[in-house]
Amino acid sequence: MAIKLRTIALLLPAICTALAAQSIPQPTSASTAATRDTSYIDAQGTAYVTRIVPVPLDLSPEARKSLIRTTPDQAPPESLEHRRAQMDQSAVRANAAWSKLCPNTITDSTLAGVPVRIVTPSNLSSSNHDKVLINLHGGGFNADSGSYSETIPIAGYTGIKVIAVLYRLAPEHPFPAGVDDAVTVYRELLKTYQPSHIVLYGTSAGAVLTAEVAVKLKALGLPMPAALGIFSTLDRFDQEDDSQALYTLQGFAGHLDPPDSGVHDPYYVGSADPKDPVLSPIYADLRGLPPTLFVTSGRDALLSGTANLHRAYLRAGVDARLVLFDALPHAFWYNSNLPESIEANHIMADFMLRQLGK
C-alpha cells in the first residue's frame, strides 16, 4: 500500500500539469481554424460568427504581405515593461527607415518643462519658418510608439518643423496628465507662433489626446490651431465600440477579448468620470473646433471610434473629413515599406498645408 501511495504522490504533479495545460486555450492552427462562414444571432443581438476573409486584390503587394501575421490568437498577456522595451527598439528602426525617405535633424529638448522631440526637415523653407506642427504620439497612453513614425514623414512631406510632445504616460500618470502636458507646450508655442500657423495632430492614443486637447483649449478660451489631425481614435471611455469586438490592433491577427461593459483603459482613465467631456470628446460641445482630418482603415480596432467622432464633428458644424483605407490594420501608416502608408502620410501632410495656407 505504501508503494502505491508513493507512486500516486509522484504522479500527481504530472497529472496536475497535464490538466492545467488542457485548460489553457491553445492557439488556432491551420487544422483547427474555421473553414466556412457561420452566423448565429441570439435574442439580445449578440453575434456568434466565423468569417473567411480573403485579402483584397487591389492592395499593394507590400500591404498584402504585411497582412500575413503569425501572431497567435492565444498569446499570453504582454507586460508593460516588455511592451515599452519593444516600442523603444521599434522606434530606433522607425527613425532609420523614415529618415532615409525624409532626411532631417532631430533634437530632444524641453518646452516649459515638458520633454519634446523636435524634427526639422532638410527641406524646411524660409516661408515655413513661422509655422509649426505639434504631434501627440501613439502608444496606448503607456508607451511611445510614434514620436518618430508620426513626425519624420509629416515633417518631410510638409517641409515644416514638427514638435512631438513626450507627454507623461499612464499608469504612472493617468488622465489628465498627458492633456496638461500638451496644453502647456501649446501655450508656450503661442508665444512664438500665431495659432493660425499651428496644426495639432496624432495617431491612436495621440489622436485621442488631440481630440481631448482641442476640447480643453476651447474650455480654457485659448485660440484654436489652424487644424486638427485625428488619425484612428477612440470616441469615449465609458464603453467599447463595435470594431473593438471585431479587430485587434493588428486587424484579424492576435488575441481578442470580447468587449465588456466596464470602463475602457482604466489605467489611463484613473479616477476621472469616463463621461468627462474632455476625456471622452463624444460628450463635449464640439462647436467651433477647427477643420479636422480623420483617417482610419477597414480592419482598425478603432474604426468605429473614428467614424463616430467624425459624425459628432459634422453634427457640430465642424469642417471634418474622413479618409478610410480598405482592409489595412490600425496605424498602418507607421510602416514605411507600404505604398499605402506613403499615400496616407501625403494625404495628412497635404491637408495640413492647405489649412496653413488659408
Side-chain angles (χ1 to χ4, degrees), residues 15-347:
I15 293 170
C16 291
T17 300
L19 290 174
Q22 291 176 8
S23 65
I24 299 173
Q26 297 301 302
T28 302
S29 64
S31 62
T32 59
T35 57
R36 68 184 184 90
D37 293 341
T38 65
S39 177
Y40 169 73
I41 311 297
D42 70 14
Q44 287 72 44
T46 302
Y48 300 81
V49 299
T50 62
R51 290 289 185 261
I52 312 302
V53 185
V55 177
L57 296 178
D58 58 349
L59 291 184
S60 69
E62 295 87 348
R64 290 200 297 272
K65 183 177 179 180
S66 76
L67 292 176
I68 303 172
R69 302 274 187 170
T70 57
T71 308
D73 56 357
Q74 298 297 337
E78 180 183 47
S79 71
L80 179 57
E81 181 181 17
H82 181 261
R83 171 178 164 78
R84 286 175 171 172
Q86 291 292 101
M87 293 287 186
D88 289 343
Q89 295 172 21
S90 177
V92 173
R93 296 191 295 270
N95 182 5
W98 279 113
S99 292
K100 286 182 181 179
L101 297 175
C102 302
N104 59 74
T105 300
I106 299 176
T107 57
D108 288 343
S109 184
T110 61
L111 284 175
V114 178
V116 296
R117 179 160 291 138
I118 303 171
V119 181
T120 304
S122 297
N123 60 339
L124 176 66
S125 66
S126 58
S127 61
N128 284 332
H129 277 288
D130 61 345
K131 301 178 180 67
V132 68
L133 310 176
I134 304 174
N135 169 250
L136 305 178
H137 65 74
F141 304 105
N142 58 31
D144 176 359
S145 67
S147 65
Y148 291 113
S149 297
E150 298 176 39
T151 58
I152 296 172
I154 294 299
Y157 298 151
T158 59
I160 299 174
K161 180 188 297 182
V162 178
I163 296 178
V165 181
L166 305 181
Y167 54 86
R168 288 170 291 171
L169 300 171
E172 297 90 344
H173 304 283
F175 174 86
V179 173
D180 291 343
D181 288 348
V183 170
T184 296
V185 170
Y186 184 75
R187 283 184 185 271
E188 186 67 16
L189 289 172
L190 285 176
K191 298 176 182 178
T192 306
Y193 298 91
Q194 299 177 29
S196 60
H197 285 183
I198 301 174
V199 172
L200 178 68
Y201 75 98
T203 289
S204 192
V208 178
L209 280 166
T210 297
E212 292 175 340
V213 169
V215 173
K216 186 66 175 180
L217 295 179
K218 180 180 177 180
L220 293 171
L222 291 172
M224 286 290 165
L228 304 174
I230 298 178
F231 308 141
S232 184
T233 187
L234 291 167
D235 56 338
R236 71 191 86 197
F237 283 87
D238 61 312
Q239 67 182 56
E240 294 190 344
D241 295 317
D242 190 61
S243 58
Q244 290 169 276
L246 296 172
Y247 308 114
T248 70
L249 296 183
Q250 300 179 59
F252 287 120
H255 181 74
L256 181 66
D257 288 316
D260 58 40
S261 57
V263 174
H264 179 72
D265 199 342
Y267 297 107
Y268 175 66
V269 173
S271 61
D273 178 353
K275 289 189 175 182
D276 181 303
V278 176
L279 176 66
S280 295
I282 197 82
Y283 298 117
D285 179 0
L286 302 172
R287 291 173 295 178
L289 296 189
T292 303
L293 175 66
F294 292 84
V295 180
T296 184
S297 44
R299 298 184 186 179
D300 183 2
L302 305 190
L303 169 60
S304 294
T306 307
N308 290 341
L309 192 59
H310 171 249
R311 287 169 47 228
Y313 271 52
L314 292 178
R315 290 194 298 270
V318 179
D319 177 3
R321 307 99 186 269
L322 171 64
V323 176
L324 190 150
F325 281 76
D326 188 30
L328 293 167
H330 180 69
F332 69 87
W333 46 87
Y334 278 13
N335 188 342
S336 62
N337 294 318
L338 306 187
E340 290 87 349
S341 179
I342 305 300
E343 180 184 355
N345 277 284
H346 273 294
I347 288 172

